[in-house]
Amino acid sequence: MADEEVPDFEVPVGLFQDLEDLKAQVARLTAQVETLTEDSDAEPGEVSAEAEPDAGEEPADEDEWQYPPFILLLDPPLYDDELRALIEWVEGVLVPGYLAEPSADARWCHLWFEHTPAVARLHALWLAWQELTDPATCGHTGPSVWHRDHLDPCMRELRSSSGPFAGCTKGEHQIDHRMPGTVPSAWRQETS
């Protein structure tokens, strides 16, 4: 048996990335369990400092979101605050770091925040970026996953010749191609 040759075995490259993704998911779940465990260690009736509302702030309802919800689900002034934060990220991180000069094949509108589909996609991209760039919750492969699964598909859709900036050209913003007005959200009840 000692004289037998062991056949060479190559591990597929994708297997390493899958393993790293699994490690990141385990790290994220572990962090969530620790957070939940810390809250459950409190004595019955005792409220943790994190759960106590700040002075002047109303306690959160159980039905209320604990994490930033999707921007299209927000009403003013929460929508406006979230949009301001998104604009800071897009103009401060995304545009200087990832957007090359616009062209017919890679469009961009300097007034992107007036295009609802662009706001929706960029907000989703930003939420993923917030989660996947935190090594405590996603390990060291999070940025790679963000690029592969979020940034690249989002940019392909936004910057394509049939995307939301199709009517916009370099330095020119076209509003004629946009839908008139905002469609009422199917997720909220309209109050009369």
Side-chain angles (χ1 to χ4, degrees):
M1 286 230 180
D3 293 337
E4 289 183 31
E5 274 190 44
V6 177
D8 289 336
F9 177 75
E10 289 187 32
V11 177
V13 175
L15 186 61
F16 286 118
Q17 191 167 13
D18 291 343
L19 182 59
E20 290 302 313
D21 287 347
L22 287 173
K23 285 181 186 178
Q25 289 176 359
V26 168
R28 183 175 36 252
L29 290 172
T30 302
Q32 289 175 347
V33 167
E34 287 174 359
T35 301
L36 293 172
T37 305
E38 287 172 7
D39 289 343
S40 67
D41 288 343
E43 292 294 320
E46 181 182 328
V47 178
S48 70
E50 294 174 6
E52 291 180 13
D54 292 335
E57 185 180 328
E58 293 183 23
D61 294 333
E62 287 184 24
D63 295 338
E64 198 172 358
W65 283 301
Q66 294 180 0
Y67 299 101
F70 187 54
I71 195 167
L72 297 184
L73 300 177
L74 299 174
D75 291 316
L78 294 175
Y79 176 89
D80 300 330
D81 293 342
E82 192 73 2
L83 182 60
R84 267 192 288 285
L86 176 62
I87 289 171
E88 285 182 25
W89 179 77
V90 169
E91 301 298 327
V93 175
L94 191 67
V95 169
Y98 292 98
L99 297 183
E101 189 68 22
S103 68
D105 293 330
R107 297 167 185 266
W108 184 256
C109 180
H110 67 286
L111 297 174
W112 59 267
F113 43 84
E114 292 187 7
H115 298 269
T116 303
V119 169
R121 286 185 180 277
L122 290 169
H123 188 259
L125 182 66
W126 180 45
L127 291 176
W129 181 81
Q130 290 176 69
E131 180 179 332
L132 293 169
T133 57
D134 181 2
T137 60
C138 65
H140 298 292
T141 61
S144 175
V145 171
W146 180 75
H147 283 91
R148 180 192 70 206
D149 294 349
H150 302 280
L151 176 68
D152 295 341
C154 180
M155 289 296 106
R156 271 193 301 275
E157 291 294 321
L158 285 179
R159 300 189 80 186
S160 76
S161 60
S162 61
F165 309 137
C168 301
T169 58
K170 186 177 177 181
E172 248 184 80
H173 176 65
Q174 298 294 322
I175 58 172
D176 294 338
H177 67 280
R178 292 189 296 144
M179 293 175 55
T182 304
V183 177
S185 174
W187 293 301
R188 341 179 242 274
Q189 281 187 317
E190 298 294 325
T191 56
S192 300

